[in-house]
Structure formats: structure tokens, C-alpha cells
Amino acid sequence: MNKHLKLAFMVAPILAVVGFIAADYYEENEASENKIIMLEPEGHCDVANKSCVLISGEFKVNVSDEAGVTEVNSTFPLDSATLFLVDKSDKMTPFPLGMKKSPYYWRSNTPLGSLVANKGDSYKLRLIAKIKGGQYIGEFYTQTVK
């Protein structure tokens, strides 16, 4: 075995470890960059009956309202969540949601329950969920099933 081959066997493990660490830093940097991802409703959205799911790939968000408390739960932990109620003239009213027990569950008192109390009425909602610099944004209509 010549001296070049011996040197290669000594340097190769060091280069492999340094490459692994550099790739990890690169991936972490990419994940923290600001991104906007659209959430789409999975079928019909009925917030009052707890059957409103928004999806984007493997990420799912469930929006429900019970007794004036609107709750959002997700498949991944959120950094923050804000629900916007949008009236007929496209004026938005923001409702920042507070963490309930864990970063998977967020809630706030909203007038959403009284707005969709009549069966057949629909109401426009917007949701912004933030995860590590990425913003998941969804616009959807909620409607109580007759």
C-alpha cells in the first residue's frame, strides 16, 4: 500500500463527517426560509359539525366551532395561527388563536358559531398557520349541512 492510498483512507472518514454536517446545516437553512403554501379544503367544509379539513400534502388542519370557541388542530406543531372572518364586503376581522395544550391545538372565542347558525348559510374564512418561517394559507367557505 503506497502513501497516497494510506492518506486517502485517513482523510475519507473526516470528509464524510464534514459533508454530513454541512448537508444538515443546508437543509435546516432551507427549512427556515419564508414560504407560502396554499391549503385546500378536503371536500365540504362544515365548521359547526367539526367536518372541515384543510390539506396541503401531508399537512392537515381541522377547523371546528363549538359554543363560540373556534378550534384549530393540525398534524404538525404550529408556531402561530390566525383565523380571519370575511364579511360580504370582503372586510376581514382577525382572530389570533392561542395555544391550548400543545402546539397542535389552537383556539379563540369568535362569533363564527352565530354567523353560521342558519342551515344553508355560508361564510368566508381565511386561515394562516405558521410553521418555521413557512406560512400555510387557506381561504374557504363554511356551510352548515341541511
Side-chain angles (χ1 to χ4, degrees), residues 50-103:
K50 298 182 181 181
S51 67
C52 182
V53 178
L54 307 172
I55 60 170
S56 176
E58 293 181 11
F59 180 64
K60 291 185 179 185
V61 178
N62 184 19
V63 182
S64 63
D65 184 85
E66 187 173 351
V69 177
T70 303
E71 186 171 287
V72 170
N73 61 41
S74 63
T75 53
F76 300 121
L78 302 178
D79 294 332
S80 69
T82 306
L83 183 71
F84 295 89
L85 303 181
V86 184
D87 63 12
K88 303 247 188 257
S89 62
D90 219 27
K91 181 180 175 241
M92 297 186 304
T93 306
F95 289 92
L97 304 172
M99 191 184 329
K100 185 178 174 185
K101 296 176 185 173
S102 72

Side-chain angles (χ1 to χ4, degrees), residues 9-34:
F9 278 128
M10 287 189 291
V11 173
I14 296 168
L15 289 177
V17 170
V18 169
F20 182 76
I21 292 170
D24 188 47
Y25 277 118
Y26 176 77
E27 286 295 321
E28 185 177 328
N29 185 39
E30 287 288 313
S32 65
E33 286 185 7
N34 289 337

Side-chain angles (χ1 to χ4, degrees), residues 115-128:
L115 294 172
V116 295
N118 297 330
K119 293 184 186 279
D121 288 352
S122 66
Y123 203 82
K124 186 193 285 188
L125 302 173
R126 291 185 181 132
L127 176 71
I128 298 177

